[in-house]
Amino acid sequence: MEKQTFEKLSAINVNDKVEKKSNLTYLSWAWAWAEVKKACPDASYKIIYDKYVNKPYFYDESLGYMVMTEVTIEGETLEMWLPVMDGANKAMTNKPYTYQTKYGEKNVDAATMFDINKTLMRCLTKNLAMFGLGLYIYAGEDLPEGETTIIKAQPTAPETDLAELKKGTDNWDKVVSYVTTNKALGLDTIGKQLNRRYKMSPAIKKEIANLISAE
């Protein structure tokens, strides 16, 4: 994937294209795909089928269902995968089951094709994030799930309300992992992404700059 493609998509601000529900933020797959096509008209995707059964999912009796997508933009192809889960992020199988929590017994319904279809489109949105669209939102984090692609609430509050980034914390470890993996984006792009999430002292900014410049 050319750096230009990643820069174009990662620069798109998704904050005004999301919906909030129960302190979570939902990003529509339809909007995500439309934005990618506007920026990269040659973009295409496909659903990966289990070739042995010719179905758009993979299934294991013990583990449940998994779906996969593949996106190609400007000659680069990336795959993504996502398990089929219920609203509590529990894997769904072909039969209902129960599990224990501190609040009592919880139920997980059997998966239907509706659940698989929703997960396929969430997987597509996650796949697009690998090309840069909305990636800044979950930098260094795994992707939460919900009815559509779920991402954590946007840091649109004033800077004084942002979490302060400090060394020796879990957030710092996540940022270090993200920066070292994506240093090709450069200091300016990464700095803007982190500024949306954290309040950073001059010393922390210098540490991040050193991480980016390190061989």
Side-chain angles (χ1 to χ4, degrees):
M1 179 173 48
E2 296 182 2
K3 182 180 177 182
Q4 181 182 7
T5 301
F6 193 94
E7 287 181 335
K8 283 191 297 187
L9 296 180
S10 63
I12 297 174
N13 190 328
V14 306
N15 291 354
D16 62 345
K17 303 296 183 181
V18 294
E19 298 179 4
K20 293 184 178 181
K21 181 180 179 181
S22 300
N23 295 320
L24 295 175
T25 304
Y26 296 76
L27 177 63
S28 164
W29 70 264
W31 177 85
W33 179 245
E35 288 300 306
V36 168
K37 289 293 285 185
K38 285 191 288 186
C40 306
D42 74 322
S44 63
Y45 78 91
K46 73 176 185 178
I47 295 168
I48 299 177
Y49 278 60
D50 182 340
K51 63 182 180 180
Y52 297 106
V53 295
N54 194 33
K55 296 184 184 297
Y57 56 79
F58 299 81
Y59 182 71
D60 180 278
E61 278 194 32
S62 300
L63 302 176
Y65 293 89
M66 179 77 76
V67 302
M68 298 180 65
T69 58
E70 181 180 279
V71 173
T72 300
I73 300 177
E74 297 183 2
E76 179 74 8
T77 298
L78 296 176
E79 293 181 352
M80 187 44 60
W81 48 91
L82 199 62
V84 177
M85 297 179 287
D86 68 0
N89 287 0
K90 292 296 182 181
M92 303 178 77
T93 69
N94 64 352
K95 297 177 182 178
Y97 68 91
T98 61
Y99 64 97
Q100 292 292 329
T101 74
K102 63 180 180 180
Y103 301 109
E105 191 174 77
K106 300 293 184 180
N107 298 315
V108 178
D109 293 331
T112 66
M113 286 307 299
F114 179 70
D115 299 307
I116 291 170
N117 178 66
K118 288 194 301 180
T119 305
L120 280 166
M121 304 323 291
R122 293 199 298 268
C123 187
L124 172 61
T125 307
K126 186 179 180 183
N127 211 158
L128 297 176
M130 297 298 290
F131 284 89
L133 184 70
L135 185 61
Y136 72 85
I137 298 168
Y138 20 83
E141 299 177 3
D142 195 9
L143 181 64
E145 304 302 331
E147 184 171 348
T148 56
T149 298
I150 301 178
I151 50 184
K152 289 195 174 181
Q154 303 302 308
T156 55
E159 182 178 346
T160 54
D161 292 337
L162 298 179
E164 184 173 1
L165 184 60
K166 295 181 179 180
K167 295 181 68 174
T169 63
D170 288 342
N171 283 340
W172 174 251
D173 292 339
K174 292 175 182 178
V175 167
V176 169
S177 175
Y178 174 73
V179 170
T180 53
T181 302
N182 298 279
K183 61 173 64 178
L185 292 177
L187 179 60
D188 184 58
T189 298
I190 290 177
K192 289 178 180 178
Q193 293 172 352
L194 295 178
N195 279 331
R196 294 187 181 104
R197 295 185 60 85
Y198 302 108
K199 181 168 59 176
M200 297 182 289
S201 68
I204 287 294
K205 291 180 179 179
K206 184 176 180 179
E207 289 277 356
I208 291 171
N210 289 338
L211 288 172
I212 294 172
S213 62
E215 293 296 334

